[in-house]
Amino acid sequence: MRMPYHKELPQFPESFWTASQQERPLFPKLEQDAEADVVVVGGGISGITTAYLLSREGLRVTLLEAGVVLNGTTAHTTAKITAQHDLIFDELIRTEGKEKAALYYQASKDAMAFIEETIENYQIECGYSKQDAYVYTHHVDYIVKVEKEAKAYEALGIPGAYLDRMPLSLPMFGAVRMDGQAQFHPLQYLWKLAREFVKNGGQIYEHTTAVDVEFVDTPKVMTLGGHRVNAKYVVSCTHFPFYDGEGFYFARMHADRSYVLGLQTHDEYPGGMYLSAEDPKRSIRCAPIDDHHKLLLVGGQSHKTGQGICTINHYEELRKFAENQFNLEKIIYRWSAQDLVTGDKLPFIGRIKKTHPNVFIASGYRKWGMTNGTAAALMIRDLILERENPYAELFSPSRSLSWKTVGKLLADNADVAKHLISGKLEFIKKRPEQLDKDEGSVVDLHGRRAGAYRDKDGQLFLLDTTCTHMGCEVEWNNGDRTWDCPCHGSRFSYTGEVMEGPASKPLVRL
């Protein structure tokens, strides 16, 4: 018999990781010019891990974060430490060859080993636990794909198996299991690395937006506040690289947004991490709240940022799924995350261009940032220290792409052009005075397109909806109360501040 549960979604989005992280050190804003051996830009798992590794090698490292560290995608992940990145290995064998597919798996395996070793060395209490990972299908058309993935595991020597049932009772026709993966609380783990980085002499500056790199003898990172940080090496660990270096990365990746609910149930969780093979995706894992309670994390509903149905409906769809599959008690958290996807599904890690050998990027993790972000840090450390790294060619941002991949990129950019034009031609009827409290919308303001949000106290915020990156028109995200760009994934708060790039300047207030 199912017990009743509180059906209301939380009014505001908040991730379990940030809500449950008690300790959060504060860091100053950069107020003057500075020097370092390495400047790392971006305070997520890639940036923190890279800065920690390089400081451990005796280098002077400065980390710059536009907002506050560990508050972006890393704080909104499902935090699976796994090499099971959806149904990827059969595809990689077909498109890249068996050798490169094996390298991709080994890079994730090395990252997993580093995380586990670091947790053991520092005795970090972060809810780390070994879990098997499953990709399952409940659609008959996907059975063959799942079977092929299991054969790819066998060909690559990946421990796992094809199954016709799983520990978690879900409607399914088949699944592929990858043995011995893991999960953790990402912020509890990374705050320890951040503290060790500072102990090693590292400098962290928050509310410091890097906007460009100037080359005079050595690279100089320019900030929005007008200050410079002179260094020998620059590492961009932001989503879209804050400095493009004429690599046109905004045209070589697209931004996806996905959603998570944090739920309590009346049933025992059998263990394991789960992902549906087909769309809409369903990601499931469990996280300890305390010694006696667990939180069920149900994620999915991926779509291109700024596009698709009303965003609150994505949370509603996840709720319907959870209601049908689990004996729910209450919904405690809801949040969303943004990830970048490359044309060939491999991340961009390494030198931004051959002509800029001292500038590195790490991006395009396709929702698998815990392992890909750690692998990026390990690889960039080796490149800066001029050590051999077996994955440098595989992940090189300058790698050649297949015609099929080029075709995908052309389709993505045609989609960008469509949204750029349609946003300019949109006919708008709604006016600012028609907005209720806690409502946002594109409105007509004296004959021009504007963005409006009226907060719960009745205060009205009016913005120019033209994205400050490349001029696309942003759309209202009512699920997260943000303005999202459908072209390249920039996101702004309802007051106009940049929340995620590639934009570096706020929306203009009206």
Side-chain angles (χ1 to χ4, degrees):
M1 179 179 178
R2 286 184 176 269
M3 303 287 288
Y5 82 99
H6 181 61
K7 292 186 176 183
E8 292 296 321
L9 290 171
Q11 184 179 7
F12 296 100
E14 181 182 31
S15 89
F16 168 63
W17 314 123
T18 55
S20 59
Q21 179 61 33
Q22 297 177 353
E23 181 184 358
R24 207 213 83 78
L26 299 176
F27 299 100
K29 180 179 180 179
L30 182 67
E31 300 286 4
Q32 60 187 10
D33 292 351
E35 290 193 3
D37 296 321
V38 185
V39 178
V40 176
V41 181
I45 188 168
S46 300
I48 293 292
T49 308
T50 300
Y52 161 75
L53 288 170
L54 292 171
S55 70
R56 208 169 63 169
E57 297 289 341
L59 295 176
R60 295 177 304 145
V61 184
T62 293
L63 187 147
L64 307 180
E65 166 57 45
V68 295
V69 297
L70 297 177
N71 195 44
T73 296
T74 298
H76 296 84
T77 175
T78 53
K80 296 177 179 178
I81 310 169
T82 179
Q84 190 185 64
H85 299 170
D86 207 340
L87 299 179
I88 186 67
F89 289 104
D90 175 64
E91 181 179 350
L92 285 178
I93 289 173
R94 287 185 286 105
T95 59
E96 305 292 336
K98 184 177 177 181
E99 182 179 350
K100 288 185 177 180
L103 282 173
Y104 184 85
Y105 171 70
Q106 190 61 46
S108 293
K109 192 176 177 182
D110 289 351
M112 292 165 60
F114 171 81
I115 292 171
E116 182 176 17
E117 180 183 342
T118 303
I119 291 170
E120 290 178 353
N121 286 345
Y122 290 117
Q123 294 295 294
I124 305 172
E125 295 184 5
C126 59
Y128 178 84
S129 67
K130 288 291 186 69
Q131 303 283 336
D132 292 337
Y134 303 81
V135 177
Y136 70 94
T137 181
H138 57 84
H139 198 293
V140 67
D141 292 344
Y142 276 77
I143 295 175
V144 172
K145 293 183 178 181
V146 175
E147 289 175 339
K148 286 182 177 180
E149 188 73 358
K151 290 178 181 177
Y153 284 17
E154 185 177 350
L156 297 172
I158 299 173
Y162 179 83
L163 309 165
D164 57 12
R165 64 176 58 188
M166 307 180 298
L168 185 63
S169 179
L170 293 170
M172 52 91 78
F173 288 109
V176 59
R177 184 189 71 224
M178 186 177 288
D179 300 341
Q181 308 304 287
Q183 62 185 34
F184 67 164
H185 190 305
L187 303 194
Q188 290 173 349
Y189 165 76
L190 287 165
W191 274 122
K192 177 60 177 177
L193 266 62
R195 289 193 294 270
E196 291 300 316
F197 167 62
V198 173
K199 283 183 183 178
N200 293 339
Q203 299 289 325
I204 297 177
Y205 294 99
E206 295 182 323
H207 305 291
T208 303
T209 303
V211 294
D212 202 358
V213 178
E214 183 181 82
F215 293 90
V216 180
D217 297 327
T218 58
K220 291 180 173 61
V221 175
M222 319 291 290
T223 71
L224 193 60
H227 302 298
R228 294 172 171 80
V229 184
N230 187 29
K232 186 175 181 181
Y233 303 100
V234 176
V235 184
S236 174
C237 295
T238 54
H239 265 200
F240 281 99
F242 79 94
Y243 170 72
D244 190 79
E246 297 182 352
F248 301 102
Y249 290 98
F250 62 86
R252 296 168 63 190
M253 297 184 282
H254 73 263
D256 271 1
R257 194 140 205 93
S258 54
Y259 301 80
V260 183
L261 294 181
L263 315 159
Q264 280 192 301
T265 74
H266 295 286
D267 298 330
E268 285 294 319
Y269 187 75
M273 306 183 298
Y274 304 86
L275 181 70
S276 64
E278 58 278 328
D279 292 326
K281 291 294 183 184
R282 295 291 179 260
S283 171
I284 304 164
R285 63 156 285 197
C286 207
I289 297 176
D290 52 40
D291 293 338
H292 306 289
H293 300 90
K294 291 183 178 180
L295 192 72
L296 184 69
L297 304 183
V298 177
Q301 292 294 120
S302 178
H303 66 93
K304 285 188 176 181
T305 300
Q307 302 182 24
I309 64 174
C310 178
T311 51
I312 197 68
N313 290 342
H314 292 294
Y315 291 109
E316 295 289 354
E317 288 300 315
L318 289 178
R319 176 167 67 177
K320 291 177 186 177
F321 170 80
E323 286 176 343
N324 289 333
Q325 302 301 328
F326 305 105
N327 189 6
L328 298 187
E329 180 181 349
K330 57 183 174 180
I331 304 171
I332 306 177
Y333 300 100
R334 68 174 176 92
W335 70 87
S336 64
Q338 185 153 302
D339 297 272
L340 295 178
V341 182
T342 66
D344 59 5
K345 298 184 179 180
L346 299 174
F348 289 139
I349 306 169
R351 291 179 171 87
I352 193 166
K353 281 185 70 177
K354 291 179 180 178
T355 53
H356 296 321
N358 287 16
V359 180
F360 301 84
I361 66 165
S363 186
Y365 298 154
R366 198 176 58 90
K367 299 181 174 65
W368 303 105
M370 299 300 97
T371 44
N372 279 334
T374 303
L378 293 167
M379 180 176 148
I380 289 172
R381 175 203 60 186
D382 289 347
L383 293 176
I384 287 177
L385 296 176
E386 299 184 357
R387 298 173 182 170
E388 291 292 323
N389 187 285
Y391 316 116
E393 183 179 347
L394 177 68
F395 296 136
S396 170
S398 301
R399 64 181 178 267
S400 59
L401 302 176
S402 68
W403 283 111
K404 183 178 180 181
T405 299
V406 171
K408 290 180 183 177
L409 294 175
L410 290 174
D412 283 341
N413 283 281
D415 185 60
V416 168
K418 179 189 76 173
H419 282 278
L420 176 61
I421 295 169
S422 64
K424 305 297 183 185
L425 301 177
E426 182 181 3
F427 178 69
I428 303 159
K429 293 183 178 179
K430 198 157 194 173
R431 297 188 57 77
E433 57 268 22
Q434 295 175 299
L435 294 180
D436 293 330
K437 290 182 179 180
D438 195 26
E439 182 184 4
S441 177
V442 174
V443 297
D444 181 284
L445 182 66
H446 309 306
R448 65 178 291 184
R449 190 184 200 271
Y453 171 71
R454 191 181 301 279
D455 69 15
K456 61 182 180 180
D457 297 320
Q459 183 177 355
L460 185 66
F461 297 86
L462 290 169
L463 302 169
D464 186 332
T465 58
T466 303
C467 180
T468 55
H469 174 229
M470 292 189 69
C472 291
E473 298 299 321
V474 298
E475 300 291 343
W476 176 246
N477 175 344
N478 69 325
D480 295 334
R481 295 173 178 80
T482 59
W483 293 100
D484 299 352
C485 179
C487 293
H488 302 110
S490 295
R491 299 180 69 237
F492 305 84
S493 70
Y494 63 78
T495 58
E497 285 80 11
V498 177
M499 297 177 67
E500 296 189 64
S504 59
K505 295 180 181 179
L507 296 176
V508 176
R509 294 192 182 188
L510 301 178

